[in-house]
Structures are given as structure tokens and as C-alpha cells.
Amino acid sequence: MTDMMHIFEMLQPTSLDEAVALLDKHGKDGWVIAGGKDSLDWFKDRVKKPEYLIDISGVKELYGIQDKGDHIAIGPMVTLTDLSQNKLVRDLFPVLADAAGRVASPQIRNVGTIGGNICQDTRCAYYRDGFPCYRAGGNTCYANTPTAMNREHTLFEAKRCVAVTPSDTAPALSVLDAQMVIARDGKLRTVGVDDFFVGPEIDIERMTAVERDKGDLLVQIKIPKTWAGSRQYFEKVADRQVWDFALVNVAMAAKVGADGSIEAMQIACGAVQCTPRRLKDVESLVVGEKANADLEKLVERVAARGAKPLNYNQFKAPLMSQLAKRAVRSLSA
Ligand SMILES: Cc1cc2nc3c(=O)[nH]c(=O)nc-3n(C[C@H](O)[C@H](O)[C@H](O)COP(=O)(O)OP(=O)(O)OC[C@H]3O[C@@H](n4cnc5c(N)ncnc54)[C@H](O)[C@@H]3O)c2cc1C
């Protein structure tokens, strides 16, 4: 730890076109900086040393939350505080507002953006400390050895790397079927949330569809109104109530009929694998049922089925089951 950043050139575009052009020009030597709450750690630790920082805080097209009729459009520069307090988001998608409101601490939420929150890198301590692991281009996983500290790591889908998604908003966006609009070379492409978050089997060196070395810029998050007004739930368990990453979190959206039976549900957990994990077994078993103690027991049994804990994170499987159960319990109220 030197707390002394490397020398870089800071570029401050004031329009989207300018930002995209700068990213195209600088490619793998460039680094988008939004609120900087993830990026500055990398630079202060001198593990990542990009030559050019493209500060997108002056790009007005990247701000704002707008009602577009069949969806809402969220700019990636919207801060987590604004997202958690926005009336439209609170009314339609409380699961997202609650998730944003549980990130880190008030100070970090005032500066950290939704774009940065979903594009942030994993918090595996070995990788963040600069160990030459698979994710860093090396040939081993330091977190998956008999003596490694892997309390925060994965339960599922360990493919060479056992790091997990750290984003609290990612599971909420997953259950809301969000779509991400990404700019590259002056063109836009839209990526569904299931393809946006990327596991090590697709690319071990990134966590999302945003490819930094190709100059990608996330320009918008769209949330269709399919789940607007549904019953929603978010809960996060961490070692501390604030200023801490999730050990496990859960996000849920459910449509409940007038007689109390569940018509449809989407539920996902974060911090249990490299991408948000949709609990498909839970989703299918609850349809047509009413939330009650019997259903909770079933949910508890299947939620973490297939988990393969590491040496120090066995506690995560029952924690995940309990969170899924509590999400379903919220529907009985
Ligand atoms: C002490 C501490 C505690 C934290 N706790 C939590 C927590 O509890 N939960 C949680 O979810 N997170 C947590 N974080 C992580 C994270 O810093 C914040 O969630 C924050 O939202 C990051 O946003 P930012 O705008 O500051 O990101 P930045 O650092 O600016 O960006 C993060 C990454 O995203 C990329 N990026 C940003 N915007 C774009 C864009 N529009 N297009 C392409 N790439 C982009 C950047 O290049 C960078 O790689 C914590 C961070 C710290 C330092």
C-alpha cells in the first residue's frame, strides 16, 4: 500500500460523442472514471495503472432518470443516493431503490454511481492485492487453496476463479430484467442483464459485457415495466450494517393474485458466484402456491441446492437459504 497514485493524464469530455471518441482512441490504455470509488483503490494500490482516465462526470447525457412509457431509463452517472431516493424508482422498483440504499455508506453512495456499481471489479483480496492469479493473467487461484482465506468467495460456478460479484444492485437489476445500453465505435448495442454479467467461463479477466480494451461505455440502463408495482424485496447480510460488502444478498420481484397465490416470481442472490445467481428452482416451485410456513420450508431446502462451499465459507449456503425463505415470507404479510 503506497496510497500514492501513478502518473496519468485526466481527460474530461463534456459530451457523449467526445467521451466515446476518447475511449475509441485510447482503448486499453484508457479507463472510465465515474465516482471513482472502485477505481481509486486500484490506483492507490498501484495494481492497475492506466495511462488515460476518461472522467465522464461532465457528460450530461449520462445523467437522469426518465419515464419512457414502457420502461424507465437510468443514466449510469446517477448516484446511488439519488437512485435510492428517486420517487419513480421507489414507486415502481423498490427492490432497486433498497439495494442502492444498502451499498457501502452514505458518503460512498453520494459519490458512487449506478454505472460504477455494476461495472465494478470483484473484491477478492488476493486479486485486489495484485497476486498473479488467473483473473490477473496468471496460472493459479490463490483463494482456492487448502489454507486460503475464502470466507467471502463463491458457492457456485467456480471455474478456475472463485471470486464473486460484489454489486448490491446487480441482483435487483437481474430480477427486473434490466437491459444495458453500451456504446462502442459510435454504435450502440443493448445487452440483457443475463448476458451483461459475465462469469469466468466466458472471460476470466472481466465481470461484465463492458470490454474496457475495446473502448466500451455504458450509456443507459433500461428497466421494462414488466415488474413495476409487483411485490419486491431486498435484503443484505454483511459483517457490518454499513460500509461493507454483502456476504449474501437477495432480491425478489413477485406477482401475487387477489387470492394470495404467487403467479410469477424472479429471485436472485448476489455474492454467491461471479454473476448474480437466479434461484430458478425456487422460482418454479412457488408458482401457484400461497406463501406460508410449508412453502418457506421447501424454499429453504432448494435455494442453495448444488452449492459447493470452499474451506471457510460453508456458512453462506444456509445464509442464502434463509434469505430466500425470508423473501418468500414477505409475500405472506
Ligand atoms: C469502502 C467501500 C465499500 C463499498 N461497499 C460496497 C457495497 O457494500 N456494495 C456495493 O455494491 N459496492 C460497494 N463498494 C463498491 C463501489 O465503489 C461502489 O458500489 C460504487 O457504486 C462504485 O461506483 P463509482 O461510480 O464510484 O465507480 P468507479 O470507480 O468510477 O467505476 C467503477 C468501475 O466501473 C467502470 N465504469 C464506471 N462507469 C462506467 C460506464 N458508464 N461505462 C463503462 N465503465 C464504467 C470504471 O471504469 C471502473 O472500472 C464499496 C467501495 C468502497 C471503497
Side-chain angles (χ1 to χ4, degrees), residues 249-267:
N249 58 26
V250 69
M252 181 207 73
K255 294 179 184 171
V256 180
D259 68 346
S261 53
I262 300 167
E263 293 166 353
M265 176 192 281
Q266 304 210 127
I267 181 166

Side-chain angles (χ1 to χ4, degrees), residues 32 34-39 104 113 117 168 212 218 236 243-244:
V32 172
K37 303 320 293 171
D38 183 37
S39 305
T113 65
N117 189 261
D168 282 319
R212 172 173 297 126
L218 174 69
K236 165 178 174 176
W243 208 23
D244 207 357

Side-chain angles (χ1 to χ4, degrees), residues 139-162:
N139 63 2
T140 193
C141 173
Y142 294 88
N144 195 9
T145 70
T147 53
M149 288 313 301
N150 45 36
R151 190 171 166 270
E152 287 95 10
H153 291 71
T154 189
L155 288 179
F156 302 92
E157 310 284 333
K159 307 257 168 34
R160 292 186 293 153
C161 173
V162 294

Side-chain angles (χ1 to χ4, degrees), residues 166-169 171 234-237 246-251 268-271 323:
S167 165
D168 282 319
T169 61
F234 180 82
E235 189 172 352
K236 165 178 174 176
V237 173
L247 292 167
V248 181
N249 58 26
V250 69
C269 282
L323 287 180

Side-chain angles (χ1 to χ4, degrees), residues 6-258:
H6 66 292
I7 290 174
F8 50 79
E9 196 170 330
M10 177 82 120
L11 305 170
Q12 297 185 297
T14 53
S15 72
L16 187 53
D17 288 347
E18 206 187 334
V20 171
L22 285 171
L23 283 163
D24 287 346
K25 182 170 168 200
H26 294 298
K28 62 179 178 341
D29 297 325
W31 181 293
V32 172
I33 186 153
K37 303 320 293 171
D38 183 37
S39 305
L40 295 179
D41 278 354
W42 281 121
F43 306 158
K44 286 192 286 184
D45 290 347
R46 294 206 164 207
V47 179
K48 310 260 185 196
K49 295 187 257 185
E51 249 178 273
Y52 299 95
L53 296 196
I54 291 116
D55 168 13
I56 54 172
S57 63
V59 180
K60 57 185 175 319
E61 295 97 318
L62 300 179
Y63 287 83
I65 299 174
Q66 292 169 305
D67 191 336
K68 297 281 191 181
D70 63 346
H71 69 276
I72 68 163
I74 303 174
M77 281 304 299
V78 169
T79 66
L80 294 159
T81 297
D82 287 346
L83 187 63
S84 66
Q85 295 174 358
N86 180 272
K87 180 161 175 12
L88 186 62
V89 178
R90 286 226 69 84
D91 287 350
L92 302 183
F93 306 120
V95 63
L96 179 60
D98 289 350
R102 284 289 280 116
V103 171
S105 63
Q107 293 88 342
I108 289 174
R109 293 195 294 274
N110 285 343
V111 179
T113 65
I114 178 66
N117 189 261
I118 61 173
C119 294
Q120 66 175 302
D121 214 335
T122 184
R123 302 303 291 201
C124 169
Y126 296 94
Y127 170 60
R128 300 284 302 201
D129 279 354
F131 281 61
C133 64
Y134 285 121
R135 187 168 285 279
N139 63 2
T140 193
C141 173
Y142 294 88
N144 195 9
T145 70
T147 53
M149 288 313 301
N150 45 36
R151 190 171 166 270
E152 287 95 10
H153 291 71
T154 189
L155 288 179
F156 302 92
E157 310 284 333
K159 307 257 168 34
R160 292 186 293 153
C161 173
V162 294
V164 295
T165 166
S167 165
D168 282 319
T169 61
L173 293 170
S174 171
V175 301
L176 296 175
D177 294 328
Q179 297 182 322
M180 322 300 167
V181 184
I182 300 168
R184 180 194 298 175
D185 284 336
K187 295 193 192 84
L188 296 178
R189 67 184 197 280
T190 300
V191 181
V193 68
D194 293 342
D195 296 321
F196 182 79
F197 295 104
V198 166
E201 72 285 5
I202 293 177
D203 189 339
I204 205 163
E205 294 185 4
R206 63 187 159 99
M207 298 200 80
T208 69
V210 172
E211 295 185 63
R212 172 173 297 126
D213 54 345
K214 297 189 176 147
D216 279 351
L217 180 68
L218 174 69
V219 296
Q220 197 173 72
I221 299 164
K222 290 180 175 179
I223 309 188
K225 289 197 182 160
T226 330
W227 293 91
S230 61
R231 301 277 291 273
Q232 299 176 18
Y233 187 85
F234 180 82
E235 189 172 352
K236 165 178 174 176
V237 173
D239 286 323
R240 292 183 300 244
Q241 278 303 319
V242 289
W243 208 23
D244 207 357
F245 289 88
L247 292 167
V248 181
N249 58 26
V250 69
M252 181 207 73
K255 294 179 184 171
V256 180

